[in-house]
Every structure is written in C-alpha cells, then in structure tokens.
Amino acid sequence: MSSPRRVSLLTLGCARNEVDSEELAGRLAAGGWELSGDPESSDVVVVNTCGFVESAKKDSVDTLLAAADTGAKVVAVGCMAERYGAELAESLPEADAVLGFDHYPDLAERLGEIVAGHKVASHTPADRRTLLPITPVERPAAVADVTVPGHGGWGPRVLRTRLDSSPVAALKIASGCDRRCSFCAIPSFRGSFVSRHPDEILAEAAWLAGHGVKELFLVSENSTSYGKDLRREHGDISGTRALERLLPRLAEVEGIARVRVSYLQPAETRPDLVRVIATTPGVADYFDLSFQHSSETVLRRMRRFGSTDSFLALIEQIRGFAPAAGIRTNVIVGFPGETEADVDELERFLTGARLDAVGVFGYSDEDGTEAEGFDGKLDEEVIAKRVARVSALVEELTAQRAEERIGDLVDVLVEDTEDEVSGRAAHQAPEVDGACVLIDVDDVEVGRIVRCRVVDSEGVDLIVRPDADR
C-alpha cells in the first residue's frame, strides 16, 4: 500500500488569506492529501502568497525560495500568484507552478499532476472585476460560475480544515471591493464585492464553534458593504441593514463568546451599525476603521471621502454608545502631493482621536493603480522622515490610551499559557493590536474568558489581574 501524499500549507498576509488556506486545506484533505506541518517531509509545499505591498511581495518570494530548499515541489497560490501569474513563474523558476484562484476547486488534482512530474500551465492574470456584473444585485446569480475563495456555496457542508488550535478564527463574510481608491490594486485581483449568504456564514460559525473557537473575527475587503448585493429573502437580509441583522445572530451561536468585525469604511459606517457593534451582547465594541488620512486634499486624491472633523465626529458617536470602545486604523504617509500642512492635519486628527492602535505606512507605488501615474511624488527620504514623525506621535498617543484603561474591567480571552498567560480584551484584535498579560493567575486554560482588572500598561499592552469580585 502506497503512503499518502503529504502537503504543507504556508500562509502569508492577512486574516483573509488564513481563511483561504483553511479552505484549501479542506479541499486537499477531501482530495486525499495528508496535511503536514513539516515542509521537509512533504511532497508539495503550497505557499499562499500576499501581493498587497512591496514588502509583502518580498516576504512571499523569500518564503517560496526557502520552500524550494526543502526539496519538495513548490506551488505558489494566493494574491501575488493571482496578480502576477506567469510573470512570477518566469522570474521564479524555483516554483514548480504558479496557480490562481480559478485553480482552487481542482487544486488536489493539480498537485497530483505536479508531483507526477507533469507541467501545469501558470495562471494568466486578468482584471477579476470584469468577471461579475457591474450591478451588485445581479452578482449572486452569476457567482456560481466564478471562483471566489471562501464562496463555495457548500450549503450545510463546511469545506474547511483548521490549521491551528487557536480559540479565535477568521470568518469571511464577503470578498472583493467596489471602491476605487487610487493607491490600491486589491479590487483588480480580488474582484468585485460579493457577500456570502448569511445562512452559509452561520453554518460555518457553528462549525468553528464545534472545533473549539470562542471568538469569530469577521473579515472581508469592506465589511460595511456587506449585503448590498443580496436580495431580500424572508425579511432577513437586504442591502445596508444586512450586517446589523447578521451580528446578533452570530453572537447567539452556541459556544461563541465574542464576535469581532474588521475592515470598516468610515464613509459607509452608519449610525445603526455603530449602535449594533457598540451595544450588542457578545459583539466586541471594536471598530477597525480604514481612515488612511484625514486631510481632505489627500483623501480626495486617494479617491476617498471624509475629513478630520467628520472622522472625529464618527469617533465621538462611537464613544457616545461605548466610551471604552476599541478603535484602530491605518494611515498612509507621503502620498503624492502631500504637504507639511497635510501632515499637520493628520496629526491633529490622531491627537484628537485617541485611538488604541494605528498602523503607519509610507506610500509606495503599486503596479496598475491610478496613483502610480500621479505627479507630486515625494522623495523616499521625505516619506521616511514623515513616517518616523507620525509613528513617534502614534507610539506616544496609543501608550497614553492604554494607560487611560488602568482601573478598568476587561474580559480577556486567554490565548497563550506557555511562557506567560496572555490574551486579548474586547478592544484588541488578533495580531495587529496590543495584548493583555495576566498576573497572579494559576491553572487557566487557553480559550477561557477571564474577567480582569487593568493594573498597569506597557506601551499598548495591558497588565491585568483576575478580578477578585468575580
């Protein structure tokens, strides 16, 4: 009897890629492959690449090269593979194949061909926005003929295999994006915005709960657009209110202790959505808002909307419902045409906003984007100085915000008990935000929610002690 074929999956990039990898793991397991955590003993190493920014692309290439050193066959999938396809294959002969999203349904068979020594043609990139109708409500009928990772239409069957035992798991609610931000290439390779049906999302949530998950981390390219392409069915889904209806239902899934929403667009964040996130039991009062900048001039060149004052008003609205709500964002510094006055305006916003976490990124050209052709490009040295300037301010402000939480009660989801007991409170998302370190605690297991009092802070991290009154 021949030994089973073994495959390792390596994932780079965001939580959406993590979901895609677990979908691929489910497909491969169903296709007869044995999943392995050891690339050295695998027949194939599949690298789920990230193609968002230049540093992520470099990490993806480095991972592919390291995988090739194992002696296994190496296959690139994911965003970078989808975006560059045959071009990547030509420049990286160490990869045995570069496969796009359209290969996902038959990936088990394609890997079998590669192991057998057959050549599988590399993916040919195309603008995936052209694959679905322009009108959102016409997309559900057409999506069955288009491969959209995470949208298998599996009904009661969940085609997913967990790749770790973490008590938190990402759950995809939509894919793609209809926005046309001038700096972003994601819509061209992720495609137009498509929502998953709530019944499919709820089925996967229940499946995750059955596999020990306590926190659901809802991901998409733009969660505030969820449902705009879904027709009203039995009164439970429709347009701009779909996410507000979905969140309480997810929070009621047996075994789930916390539901967290990510990737909110400020211009689309409605008062009712703010209220539901801030006040629904079981939903984290956490707002991951993609501000990107606050100068009106820069935002218009980015093809985005808003201003310092409108963003501060949104934050005031959030804290009116939940004063301790967690709020995070990312900002881009050094965008073409950005002036010193624009940076001053961004700093005015950050100072007034009192955010819990801020990612600061220096602008760089992305292939095929509108901004790539803009005038007013800044020297790399100027961009680096502005990144350092804004980062220093952010470090100070977020540390102050954490310090303000001393004395508060927080519910901490325990995630690690090895060297120290640590986890996250409701205002802290996995990977990107700070953490809570528990002291004076014994015999606590991963996955438990512990009510704690904040006794100190270190940067954005909190030092917490189990509350004696609980």
Side-chain angles (χ1 to χ4, degrees):
M1 181 176 177
S2 61
S3 59
R5 300 170 299 176
R6 294 166 61 87
V7 58
S8 288
L9 277 160
L10 304 179
T11 306
L12 295 97
C14 64
R16 293 164 300 210
N17 257 17
E18 293 173 9
V19 177
D20 292 350
S21 284
E22 292 198 346
E23 177 196 339
L24 291 177
R27 292 185 181 279
L28 291 171
W33 285 85
E34 178 183 324
L35 300 171
S36 170
D38 179 17
E40 298 281 350
S41 64
S42 297
D43 299 292
V44 185
V45 178
V46 176
V47 179
N48 192 352
T49 60
C50 179
F52 182 42
V53 292
E54 200 59 42
S55 59
K57 297 175 200 172
K58 182 181 183 304
D59 288 344
S60 294
V61 170
D62 289 346
T63 303
L64 287 163
L65 292 173
D69 289 339
T70 66
K73 299 289 187 180
V74 177
V75 175
V77 298
C79 291
M80 188 176 180
E82 176 66 35
R83 187 175 180 183
Y84 295 105
E87 179 186 342
L88 175 61
E90 184 176 351
S91 63
L92 196 70
E94 292 84 356
D96 294 278
V98 176
L99 306 181
F101 298 151
D102 292 334
H103 290 98
Y104 283 16
D106 303 314
L107 187 63
E109 290 84 353
R110 300 292 81 78
L111 296 190
E113 294 171 6
I114 292 165
V115 168
H118 301 299
K119 181 71 174 176
V120 174
S122 295
H123 163 66
T124 301
D127 189 334
R128 295 192 74 84
R129 290 171 293 191
T130 64
L131 302 181
L132 291 169
I134 294 176
T135 305
V137 293
E138 294 178 358
R139 292 174 191 163
V143 76
D145 299 322
V146 177
T147 300
V148 181
H151 294 246
W154 312 312
R157 180 190 179 204
V158 175
L159 192 59
R160 178 172 180 173
T161 295
R162 297 229 58 203
L163 295 174
D164 61 41
S165 58
S166 170
V168 59
L171 174 57
K172 187 177 288 190
I173 63 171
S175 289
C177 186
D178 288 340
R179 299 182 71 88
R180 294 295 180 266
C181 301
S182 61
F183 57 84
C184 184
I186 289 175
S188 66
F189 58 83
R190 276 289 184 178
S192 298
F193 184 87
V194 182
S195 302
R196 293 180 71 189
H197 192 284
D199 290 347
E200 187 177 319
I201 296 170
L202 288 162
E204 188 165 336
W207 182 87
L208 288 167
H211 284 74
V213 170
K214 299 298 181 183
E215 179 178 312
L216 299 174
F217 185 38
L218 307 187
V219 298
S220 71
E221 274 75 26
N222 178 6
S223 296
T224 37
S225 281
Y226 177 75
K228 73 175 186 178
D229 52 329
L230 299 177
R231 298 179 185 274
R232 181 179 290 275
E233 297 177 14
H234 313 299
D236 64 346
I237 58 172
S238 65
T240 60
R241 296 293 179 265
L243 187 55
E244 287 97 305
R245 292 185 172 95
L246 177 64
L247 288 173
R249 296 175 66 185
L250 285 169
E252 292 171 357
V253 172
E254 185 176 357
I256 297 300
R258 191 156 67 199
V259 178
R260 183 183 304 278
V261 188
S262 64
Y263 304 107
L264 302 174
Q265 290 290 340
E268 298 177 24
T269 303
R270 307 166 296 277
D272 279 353
L273 180 58
V274 170
R275 176 185 54 78
V276 168
I277 294 175
T279 65
T280 302
V283 176
D285 51 352
Y286 175 82
F287 294 81
D288 174 15
L289 291 159
S290 177
F291 290 118
Q292 302 298 350
H293 212 285
S294 72
S295 163
E296 289 188 73
T297 303
V298 174
L299 286 167
R300 298 307 174 268
R301 285 174 69 84
M302 288 180 168
R303 304 288 182 239
R304 296 176 67 84
F305 302 96
S307 65
T308 294
D309 292 336
S310 67
F311 291 163
L312 290 176
L314 174 58
I315 290 171
E316 183 179 1
Q317 181 185 98
I318 290 168
R319 291 187 173 137
F321 284 111
I327 307 175
R328 85 166 323 272
T329 196
N330 293 321
V331 296
I332 298 173
V333 180
F335 194 77
E338 181 191 66
T339 65
E340 286 290 334
D342 294 325
V343 181
D344 291 341
E345 185 69 0
L346 176 59
E347 291 181 328
R348 180 171 82 87
F349 164 68
L350 293 170
T351 302
R354 295 170 42 246
L355 303 174
D356 291 275
V358 182
V360 182
F361 298 90
Y363 171 81
S364 62
D365 285 336
E366 280 299 309
D367 298 337
T369 61
E370 182 183 5
E372 187 183 23
F374 281 179
D375 57 12
K377 299 284 179 62
L378 303 180
D379 291 341
E380 289 186 9
E381 183 179 346
V382 172
I383 294 174
K385 286 181 178 179
R386 291 184 181 179
V387 168
R389 167 184 163 185
V390 174
S391 295
L393 176 64
V394 161
E395 184 175 356
E396 178 183 355
L397 293 171
T398 54
Q400 289 174 2
R401 178 64 175 158
E403 189 175 357
E404 290 171 2
R405 295 186 181 275
I406 294 175
D408 289 356
L409 285 170
V410 292
D411 290 323
V412 179
L413 173 63
V414 176
E415 296 184 82
D416 189 1
T417 58
E418 298 255 338
D419 297 326
E420 60 185 7
V421 179
S422 63
R424 292 175 298 103
H427 70 281
Q428 298 167 320
E431 304 293 339
V432 294
D433 299 338
C436 290
V437 177
L438 285 76
I439 60 173
D440 300 335
V441 61
D442 296 310
D443 299 325
V444 62
E445 65 276 7
V446 169
R448 182 180 168 190
I449 300 282
V450 182
R451 172 62 62 92
C452 296
R453 178 94 46 192
V454 182
V455 296
D456 202 354
S457 64
E458 294 181 357
V460 296
D461 295 333
L462 301 181
I463 310 303
V464 303
R465 178 183 289 119
D467 185 36
D469 296 331
R470 288 285 290 188

